[in-house]
Amino acid sequence: MKGFLVLFSILALSSGIRGEEEVCGPTDQAAYRPCPTLSLPCVRNYLQLRSDCKPFNFNDDRDSFVSEPIELDAPAFNLSAIQTNVITKNLRQVNILEFTINPEKDLLVFAVEYLNLTLENHYHYSYYQPGEEPKHFKGVGHETYRDLNITTYVHGINNPAWEDAIHIHSLSEIDYTIERECLDNADGELDQVLAEIKTGILTVIQEVFLSRSGPIQEYIIKRNLCNYH
Ligand SMILES: *[C@@H]1O[C@H](CO)[C@@H](O)[C@H](O)[C@H]1NC(C)=O
Ligand SMILES: *[C@@H]1O[C@H](CO)[C@@H](O)[C@H](O)[C@H]1NC(C)=O
Ligand SMILES: *[C@@H]1O[C@H](CO)[C@@H](O)[C@H](O)[C@H]1NC(C)=O
């Protein structure tokens, strides 16, 4: 029993020390801007020298796109949805907010601001309640995001692993309409769900953008910086 206690305190001590080293290591200072003015041609050039990029087709429409269906989750509302994107537009109103590389962490950070980005979507919702089958209903949405920032984190500063990038958003105001389709089948419970979505719209948006930010940012990267895959 005594031996066990001694062993236990040694373990606690050594893990305490290791924890301290991890938290306080002097590793956070090395990020810098390879393009001090964040100009698009400079960022593009920097990435194209280091990535496997295909040429751009400059005749393409660059202000809008239609994405593949996206699975959205709004767990705070017992809700999931398949978003079928009709169109995402206003993609010319973008600013590069940041572009840094960190050789020590082998990490690239790229942030973009979107002004008045507009999405038109169809939604196939599933609503979940304990012990019951999900209820399904359809909706249609028209949404404009006044100010949306998406930050992308990519490992591999000399050969960016674009497919494994992580995209994080922050956003402010939204102008929107979301309505049920097929009102003939309207039932009170589902109208109530839609009313809750509207009341908590900013929470819903925060949740669903976890799945949405990626396709939006990928479009901007592939059309302006590096057309990977
Ligand atoms: C989600 O479902 C649970 C269980 O029925 C309920 O207590 C909760 O209020 C629901 N939340 C919303 C936003 O509908
Ligand atoms: C975004 O749209 C709103 C409403 O139409 C308009 O007032 C605002 O000027 C627009 N912002 C930009 C940057 O275009
Ligand atoms: C987006 O970034 C710009 C520039 O840093 C900032 O002014 C704006 O408040 C940010 N918007 C949001 C919603 O975070």
Side-chain angles (χ1 to χ4, degrees):
M1 189 56 183
K2 203 172 175 189
F4 171 77
L5 277 179
V6 171
L7 180 63
F8 178 77
S9 13
I10 290 172
L11 278 179
L13 188 65
S14 59
S15 67
I17 289 170
R18 198 165 55 238
E20 212 164 74
E21 278 170 355
E22 277 168 9
V23 173
C24 302
T27 56
D28 256 4
Q29 304 300 322
Y32 71 93
R33 282 183 179 169
C35 299
T37 65
L38 301 174
S39 82
L40 179 64
C42 176
V43 176
R44 178 189 292 145
N45 190 46
Y46 183 92
L47 291 175
Q48 295 208 340
L49 285 173
R50 291 165 177 81
S51 312
D52 188 11
C53 313
K54 289 180 291 189
F56 299 114
N57 179 358
F58 281 98
N59 294 323
D60 284 355
D61 171 16
R62 300 173 152 249
D63 194 42
S64 67
F65 75 100
V66 175
S67 81
E68 296 293 308
I70 302 172
E71 222 178 303
L72 306 174
D73 288 304
F77 296 82
N78 304 316
L79 203 67
S80 71
I82 306 288
Q83 165 192 314
T84 311
N85 181 226
V86 179
I87 197 157
T88 297
K89 60 190 181 192
N90 265 353
L91 289 152
R92 285 184 196 277
Q93 297 197 51
V94 298
N95 303 314
I96 297 179
L97 293 182
E98 193 49 280
F99 179 66
T100 63
I101 65 163
N102 185 326
E104 202 175 320
K105 294 177 177 167
D106 201 21
L107 182 69
L108 193 152
V109 176
F110 174 64
V112 177
E113 178 175 43
Y114 299 80
L115 298 171
N116 281 344
L117 186 79
T118 297
L119 272 70
E120 287 170 27
N121 297 316
H122 285 276
Y123 297 105
H124 280 70
Y125 297 102
S126 299
Y127 178 64
Y128 304 93
Q129 285 296 282
E132 289 178 21
E133 291 188 354
K135 293 194 166 72
H136 303 287
F137 62 111
K138 292 181 187 175
V140 56
H142 186 285
E143 302 149 37
T144 297
Y145 297 89
R146 292 289 184 86
D147 188 21
L148 164 70
N149 296 343
I150 303 179
T151 301
T152 295
Y153 304 88
V154 191
H155 277 287
I157 59 171
N158 289 314
N159 186 16
W162 292 110
E163 293 78 5
D164 298 327
I166 290 176
H167 310 276
I168 300 298
H169 66 278
S170 70
L171 53 82
S172 63
E173 250 180 289
I174 157 177
D175 297 329
Y176 73 98
T177 56
I178 296 179
E179 302 302 335
R180 276 187 70 175
E181 273 182 348
C182 317
L183 282 175
D184 294 352
N185 306 331
D187 95 21
E189 185 183 8
L190 297 182
D191 284 341
Q192 180 61 30
V193 173
L194 213 55
E196 276 165 15
I197 292 179
K198 290 177 181 173
T199 306
I201 189 71
L202 283 177
T203 307
V204 175
I205 295 300
Q206 288 296 344
E207 291 181 337
V208 302
F209 259 82
L210 289 174
S211 310
R212 261 185 192 165
S213 297
I216 294 169
Q217 192 86 324
E218 278 166 14
Y219 178 89
I220 288 294
I221 293 168
K222 287 182 176 180
R223 289 302 179 92
N224 295 287
L225 299 174
C226 171
N227 184 12
Y228 61 95
H229 288 249

